[in-house]
Amino acid sequence: MEYFAVTGGRPLAGEVRVHGAKNSALPILAATLLVRGESVVHNCPALTDIQTALDILSCLGCQVRRTGETVTVDAAHLTGAAIPDELMGRMRASVLFLGALLARQGEASACWPGGCALGRRPIDLHIRAFQALGAQVETRGEHLRLTAARLAGRRLSLPFPSVGATENAMLAACGAAGLTRICNAAREPEIVDLQGFLQALGARVTGAGTEEIHVSGGLPLHPGTYRVMPDRIVTATYLCAVASAGGQGVLQGARGDHVEPVTAALSAAGCRVRCIPEGLQITRDGSLRGIGALQTGPYPAFPTDAQPLLAAALAGGTGETAITETIFDHRFRYAQGLEALGAQVRAAGETLYLTGHPLHGGSVEAPDLRGGAALTLAALAAEGESRITGLRHIDRGYEALEQDLAALGADIRRETLCVL
Ligand code: UD1
């Protein structure tokens, strides 16, 4: 069993490069299924979730090759439209392959998707979008089968701006004849990145980043090359790492415009964040202050994925903060770990109440991906030694969190515990 060994309580000083965005690369890899030819995806991070996506593509008959940060997918000849249960169960984003398969093959089948245990995570909005475009949906027990003799473009209105449902609607709409208008679309930067890739394949997609996306589908797409944007949640992680431990850090390649609500919160807490030619620079020389009330929401509001990271940083500061989570039901599972590190924290319903307090070392387990990263950040501020287990969650979203934090000046190592 692997764990992070952290000696905390010392300020950081260093530089780190932000890798490509997991949540962009996943829908982009699903979109490679739309082309009867080769797609080249640069800046594709080496993460276990990305490997799952590549395994799905291979199972469907694609030729997949990785050379460093570049992934090449040749989807000229597909051999099926069924995603194996085991791959579907590994991550929720496997559901994105359904929209692309429907557009390319007119059929797709899979079981319900897995992923982080963040509470109820239905896919009704995805399914309604497919049905609106003309797909038939059959469910048998845990399995789902989608078929469409012909998809036809039309106006879709999402009741909630779901990121995944917006992406799936864009992917399926590429195979639908005529114009699809996706209203109340999610506006996250990852949606804009997916549009960029689809445009590189010759798709006529506009409006990503606004509430209404237009896709003129049904045209054959051509091979294309694209570079995935830097990961904004990894950016938020390293900003919060410096906020947690104090000191100074440079995040090479980070996009300040993608993390404005995070930098605003950190500035309110007493950090200085500056856009510099290489990316972003953050400095924290005094103690962190509580920031009152904060609420997560769909982009451009404060991202739910960064909520545990900010809470971890503020836990070791001073003053009060109340964080209300509006996107997922069970997103405070890391609070127990923070408490084990000495935090004064209380979750009540959708709100987490924090009173900044000095942290001490302890042994904690990552409850999910961002919750695990959050506990690691808290350990950077905690006096003494900490041990973080459950690294399989963290490795889903960070290429090597410990190496990047070490580059920022943290005392952290990945160790292996021999269990006899
Ligand atoms: C994506 C991100 C995830 C992030 C989330 C919100 C990826 C791979 N993952 O997840 O990291 O935390 O956006 O920014 O990009 N919902 C429904 N029915 C649906 C779909 C969603 O009720 O069919 C609900 C969900 O349960 C949740 C909310 O809508 O409460 C937001 O989900 P959504 O935006 O779809 O998130 P994901 O695409 O799953």
Side-chain angles (χ1 to χ4, degrees), residues 17-26 28-29 32 39-45 66-71 189-190 192-201 224-231 252-255 258 399:
R17 192 188 78 86
V18 174
H19 63 62
K22 167 175 89 71
N23 289 352
S24 280
L26 291 170
I28 285 173
L29 289 173
T32 63
S39 302
V40 180
V41 183
H42 295 302
N43 205 27
C44 194
R66 180 188 268 282
T67 313
E69 290 176 350
T70 298
V71 167
E190 290 78 9
V192 181
D193 225 23
L194 176 60
Q195 170 177 279
F197 178 66
L198 293 172
Q199 287 174 341
L201 306 180
T225 297
Y226 193 72
R227 185 172 180 83
V228 173
M229 69 177 206
D231 195 307
Q252 293 160 356
R255 295 249 329 234
H258 287 174
E399 280 190 349

Side-chain angles (χ1 to χ4, degrees), residues 94-159:
S94 308
V95 76
L96 295 172
F97 288 80
L98 296 177
L101 276 172
L102 198 57
R104 168 78 185 266
Q105 306 280 75
E107 60 172 321
S109 60
C111 64
W112 299 104
C116 273
L118 303 179
R120 249 173 10 97
R121 293 184 77 174
I123 55 166
D124 54 313
L125 304 180
H126 301 240
I127 290 174
R128 275 154 68 176
F130 297 147
Q131 286 173 320
L133 294 174
Q136 270 79 53
V137 179
E138 275 172 68
T139 47
R140 203 170 296 153
E142 291 293 296
H143 283 83
L144 182 71
R145 186 170 143 74
L146 309 170
T147 45
R150 183 176 171 276
L151 294 171
R154 59 167 286 184
R155 180 178 183 278
L156 308 177
S157 185
L158 296 175

Side-chain angles (χ1 to χ4, degrees), residues 308 311-312 315 334-343 345 352 354 359 364 374-375 378:
Y334 63 89
Q336 208 183 342
L338 282 185
E339 235 177 343
L341 298 175
V345 60
L352 185 86
L354 268 172
L359 303 181
V364 290
L375 294 177

Side-chain angles (χ1 to χ4, degrees), residues 225-399:
T225 297
Y226 193 72
R227 185 172 180 83
V228 173
M229 69 177 206
D231 195 307
R232 67 193 169 97
I233 305 304
V234 170
T235 301
T237 304
Y238 300 153
L239 290 173
C240 290
V242 176
S244 179
Q248 195 258 107
V250 170
L251 281 58
Q252 293 160 356
R255 295 249 329 234
D257 56 332
H258 287 174
V259 287
E260 270 166 17
V262 179
T263 54
L266 292 173
S267 301
C271 299
R272 288 196 310 280
V273 186
R274 283 200 307 140
C275 285
I276 56 173
E278 307 90 288
L280 281 175
Q281 183 185 51
I282 176 164
T283 309
R284 191 209 106 195
D285 31 34
S287 60
L288 270 196
R289 299 186 291 273
I291 55 169
L294 179 113
Q295 187 166 311
T296 64
Y299 193 85
F302 192 92
T304 171
D305 287 352
Q307 169 270 103
L309 310 166
L310 180 71
L314 294 171
T318 59
E320 315 276 327
T321 303
I323 301 180
T324 300
E325 169 60 49
T326 71
I327 307 288
F328 291 112
D329 298 336
H330 294 290
R331 207 143 199 192
F332 295 135
R333 297 186 332 134
Y334 63 89
Q336 208 183 342
L338 282 185
E339 235 177 343
L341 298 175
Q344 292 190 352
V345 60
R346 183 172 60 86
E350 294 170 351
T351 303
L352 185 86
Y353 297 92
L354 268 172
T355 304
H357 186 264
L359 303 181
H360 55 71
S363 282
V364 290
E365 181 169 0
D368 51 53
L369 165 54
R370 305 303 170 188
L375 294 177
T376 309
L377 302 192
L380 300 180
E383 279 299 330
E385 312 278 322
S386 292
R387 179 180 283 196
I388 294 101
T389 54
L391 302 193
R392 68 182 191 287
H393 292 297
I394 297 176
D395 292 340
R396 291 184 45 215
Y398 299 89
E399 280 190 349

